Amino acid sequence: MTMGFHEHPACTCGIDVHAHFIPHDFPRYLGSAVPADWPSMAPAHACHRHVIISGKVYRTVSEMAWSPTRRVADMDDMGLARQAISPMPELLSYWMAPCAAAQLVRYVNDQIAAAVELAGGRLVGMGAVPLQDMDLALAELDYLTGQLGFRAIEIGSNINGRPPGAPEFAPFFAACEEKGVAVFVHALKPAGADRLVGPSNLLQALGYPTEVGLAAASVLTSNLVERHPRLRMAFSHGGGTLAMLLPRLEQARKVFPALAEAMPVGPSEQARRLFYDTLVFDAPTLGVLLQRFGADALMIGTDYPFAFRDARPVASIEAAVSDPSVRERLVAGNAARFLALDIAINSQGVPA
């Protein structure tokens, strides 16, 4: 039987690692010259506001983006016990001057912390740092963990064109491993946007998965997980194209000695040490991800509160996975491990 929109699912036990937050307002810039891309908010229609960036409406969002009360009510409808909330990716602000970006992400991080505080344990904070400046990024990471108590952070799939596997980000990942902070990689300003033919929405439909696949591949080819074995790292949109790239990368490693030398551990083995969300909108595709990455690697991702989201994430997993123990790991157990949640998980992988 198809579940109606307002019917509650059989359980409210899922943990969502991919959901975004936008504050109701943005602060005034504390400086002499306001950056051209400093965001602001403007009223829209009922319960909606316009996000203004560089003088243009970047996105129109509803109270779902900032209201913990509305979010928690929607979580009940989606079958979710908890949801990790991270900034709308455009707010990562890597392209801003470092001091301006640090000011903005500090405000957003504090707003996320306030929403978590109001949600009665249902929300988990996932912050941001200005990765275009390593000193400022590490300082904000200290603030996130020491002052706000966050255990997870969101980063973009590239930082001003440089992928996560690039060597200049090594100090950041070393600090995340040392502090036990999980890293969630989200698509941002995808490569190849100029190759898309059609409406701008194709950027989300086609550009994002391609971008995430390249970002994840950079982590494998740079041996990042080998160098930081305790680092918990996840990729949005099911890892994008990575599942399809792995066989080709494996074969290339056999054919080209330089690749075998550069990657002492095979890419498929490394890929199974990472995490991925289930946001692929298709049961057979989710089955491919299970085969490629394993049952311990996949977690619910909804992309709430945006329109291009999975409004029934638990049902999506149930449609793709017949084994109850595997299903329950995808619904909650894997995300609890990734986020290091201090909750009891029973033998089936469900929050007790």
Side-chain angles (χ1 to χ4, degrees):
M1 182 176 67
T2 302
M3 184 168 57
F5 186 78
H6 295 291
E7 293 178 60
H8 285 253
C11 78
T12 306
C13 54
I15 301 175
D16 179 12
V17 302
H18 181 176
H20 298 299
F21 175 88
I22 306 167
H24 181 271
D25 288 293
F26 290 101
R28 294 177 60 187
Y29 176 66
L30 300 178
S32 58
V34 180
D37 48 4
W38 187 264
S40 62
M41 280 290 201
H45 49 285
C47 301
H48 286 68
R49 291 171 73 78
H50 297 307
V51 182
I52 310 294
I53 298 178
S54 299
K56 298 179 180 179
V57 175
Y58 172 75
R59 199 166 211 155
T60 300
V61 295
S62 79
E63 64 178 356
M64 296 161 65
W66 60 78
S67 168
T69 303
R70 172 64 188 273
R71 188 180 292 262
V72 167
D74 288 346
M75 286 168 58
D76 290 340
D77 282 338
M78 292 189 288
L80 298 176
R82 288 174 175 82
Q83 186 179 74
I85 54 173
S86 56
M88 177 178 71
E90 192 72 15
L91 299 178
L92 294 174
S93 304
Y94 299 143
W95 42 90
M96 282 186 181
C99 289
Q103 184 184 142
L104 180 61
V105 298
R106 170 63 62 88
Y107 175 80
V108 174
N109 288 336
D110 285 344
Q111 291 294 302
I112 289 175
V116 169
E117 181 69 22
L118 290 170
R122 299 290 298 275
L123 299 180
V124 178
M126 188 181 283
V129 301
L131 263 177
Q132 66 269 53
D133 184 293
M134 188 55 63
D135 289 340
L136 290 176
L138 294 176
E140 190 64 18
L141 186 64
D142 286 342
Y143 178 77
L144 286 169
T145 57
Q147 299 298 314
L148 301 185
F150 285 12
R151 299 176 180 177
I153 188 170
E154 176 189 51
I155 70 169
S157 53
N158 71 87
I159 296 88
N160 296 326
R162 299 290 287 163
E168 59 262 37
F169 303 121
F172 168 73
F173 291 114
C176 288
E177 181 184 39
E178 180 185 355
K179 295 175 181 295
V181 175
V183 178
F184 181 71
V185 183
H186 192 284
L188 181 67
K189 296 190 180 300
D194 57 326
R195 305 294 180 89
L196 301 177
V197 179
S200 61
N201 312 91
L202 287 175
L203 201 64
Q204 297 174 63
L206 303 179
Y208 280 15
T210 302
E211 171 70 17
V212 172
L214 291 174
S218 82
V219 167
L220 306 182
T221 58
S222 66
N223 304 295
L224 180 61
V225 291
E226 284 298 300
R227 288 182 282 114
H228 301 290
R230 293 179 290 110
L231 178 66
R232 305 189 310 282
M233 194 170 190
F235 291 85
S236 65
H237 308 99
T241 58
L242 182 65
M244 297 298 103
L245 296 176
L246 278 177
R248 189 172 182 87
L249 193 53
E250 288 283 1
Q251 182 63 20
R253 185 170 171 269
K254 295 174 184 176
V255 171
F256 303 116
L259 279 178
E261 183 178 350
M263 285 187 289
V265 176
S268 293
E269 181 179 338
Q270 291 190 60
R272 294 175 80 90
R273 301 177 190 175
L274 301 169
F275 292 84
Y276 312 85
D277 75 17
T278 56
L279 192 61
V280 294
F281 304 108
D282 179 68
T285 301
L286 190 53
V288 171
L289 300 190
L290 275 170
Q291 182 182 16
R292 285 274 190 264
F293 302 140
D296 291 328
L298 301 177
M299 315 173 287
I300 286 176
T302 64
D303 222 343
Y304 181 98
F306 302 133
F308 194 20
R309 68 181 186 271
D310 187 349
R312 291 290 176 265
V314 176
S316 295
I317 290 171
E318 290 173 345
V321 181
S322 58
D323 185 324
S325 65
V326 172
R327 182 189 300 159
E328 287 154 355
R329 273 180 275 175
L330 269 61
V331 167
N334 294 337
R337 279 192 302 114
F338 174 70
L339 296 169
L341 295 182
D342 189 18
I343 57 176
I345 300 292
N346 68 20
S347 59
Q348 286 74 45
V350 174

